[in-house]
Amino acid sequence: MALTGAGISTESGVPTFRGAEGLWRTYRPEDLATPEAFRRDPALVWEWYDWRRAKIAASRPNPGHEALARLENAKPCFTLVTQNVDGLHRLAGSRNLRELHGCIWNLRCVDCGEEREDRTVPLQPIPPRCACGGILRPGVVWFGEPVPMEVLQASMEEARACDLLLVVGTSAVVYPAAGVAHAAVQDGRSVIEINPDETPLTPHATVSLRGRAGAILPRICTSH
Ligand code: BV8
Ligand code: ZN
């Protein structure tokens, strides 16, 4: 099993949230990735997401994403849980995939709930409108919004039952996602963290490999 965060997409050119070049620094997303911000100023929130969609559209899966897709082919029981909304795991070929925080390519109507995938970059107009006249929002989970129950439940159960959990490219500060890693630790599972930096999970990991996902994952996943 693997749990990934924004760090696995860094080498694809997608900025992380809390790193030096992170999104949080320039766009204060904790003020933007919330339902309140969207209600207050949907156009501003959409400008940020449209900018991210353009950056993601220009990026490709990197060797880290590709290694996890190969691991799934070699081990059908392999499950990939991601906090990322960039869709790069799916693009790399991962299918047994749970997107805890949704996907930036999905749009959902705030009025009728209609949801569809839309990869248009840039979006015209901003904010985009539904056929019913309602405003469309990004199909992601914002701060203060619940992660879909069935996706979270399944991820927690798998973390408690897995042989090994790879925790890749996450600062392990956002919950309930980080709770998936702690569930594996609490149930005595082997946990390997892959991250250039230490995180709050590091002291609890069986092994913490201090390096980049794109360099380490191909070496772990090919040896199978
Ligand atoms: C909820 C989608 C309740 C949108 C995101 C106080 C204490 C504890 C918790 C809280 C609190 N106050 C509020 C909360 C709850 C809050 C939370 O956890 N806040 C944190 C910040 C403290 N959580 C929530 O609000 C969640 N919902 O609790 O709802 C509820 C329940 C029922 C009913 C109603 C309500 C919802 C959380 C989801 C928020 N949405 N994203 C979008 O993307 O725009 S979170 C956002 O952060 C992204 O999804 C991102 O994935 C996630 C976590 O960040 P990371 O992925 O870890 O990325 P980060 O930049 O932080 O770290 C990158 C790491 O990679 C670094 O460690 C770096 O060293 C490493 N790295 C860099 N390069 C590489 C690398 N690693 C490997 N290789 C490399 N090359
Ligand atoms: Zn609608």
Side-chain angles (χ1 to χ4, degrees):
M1 181 175 180
L3 170 68
T4 63
I8 197 168
S9 296
T10 316
E11 293 158 83
S12 297
V14 180
T16 63
F17 285 79
R18 295 168 188 84
E21 81 305 332
L23 288 165
W24 300 101
R25 201 169 299 285
T26 43
Y27 285 79
R28 291 188 55 72
E30 63 271 26
D31 297 339
L32 293 181
T34 69
E36 294 73 30
F38 190 73
R39 249 193 306 283
R40 194 174 52 240
D41 189 347
L44 174 64
V45 174
W46 261 117
E47 272 165 41
W48 182 51
Y49 276 92
D50 205 38
W51 175 79
R52 287 172 64 193
R53 285 161 57 104
K55 275 195 93 61
I56 293 164
S59 68
R60 287 284 156 272
N62 65 58
H65 297 107
E66 289 160 351
L68 291 179
R70 276 201 308 277
L71 188 55
E72 178 181 320
N73 291 333
K75 295 204 174 269
C77 64
F78 177 74
T79 303
L80 174 53
V81 178
T82 188
Q83 301 170 81
N84 300 341
V85 299
D86 57 30
L88 289 178
H89 283 304
R90 201 172 298 282
L91 208 54
S94 292
R95 288 297 171 271
N96 196 356
L97 173 66
R98 299 186 202 292
E99 293 171 313
L100 289 180
H101 298 157
C103 180
I104 202 165
W105 298 116
N106 291 338
L107 306 186
R108 185 170 72 241
C109 178
V110 295
D111 288 346
C112 73
E114 164 94 10
E115 179 146 2
R116 66 179 154 105
E117 182 182 302
D118 183 327
R119 291 180 173 268
T120 316
V121 171
L123 274 172
Q124 307 281 357
I126 288 235
R129 291 273 174 183
C130 173
C132 83
I135 288 186
L136 293 168
R137 61 166 279 178
V140 301
V141 177
W142 277 327
F143 286 104
E145 294 186 321
V147 169
M149 184 52 73
E150 62 286 347
V151 171
L152 180 59
Q153 207 71 39
S155 304
M156 293 295 278
E157 279 156 23
E158 280 150 4
R160 293 199 172 96
C162 69
D163 303 312
L164 167 67
L165 173 65
L166 302 172
V167 181
V168 188
T170 180
S171 57
V173 296
V174 169
Y175 283 79
V180 174
H182 288 284
V185 170
Q186 276 147 22
D187 279 37
R189 303 293 150 194
S190 300
V191 175
I192 297 181
E193 179 181 49
I194 297 170
N195 196 317
D197 298 344
E198 292 208 354
T199 73
L201 183 72
T202 304
H204 307 285
T206 315
V207 175
S208 189
L209 301 176
R210 202 61 62 243
R212 292 180 300 105
I216 293 177
L217 279 174
R219 291 168 56 192
I220 291 183
C221 301
T222 314
S223 56
H224 279 268

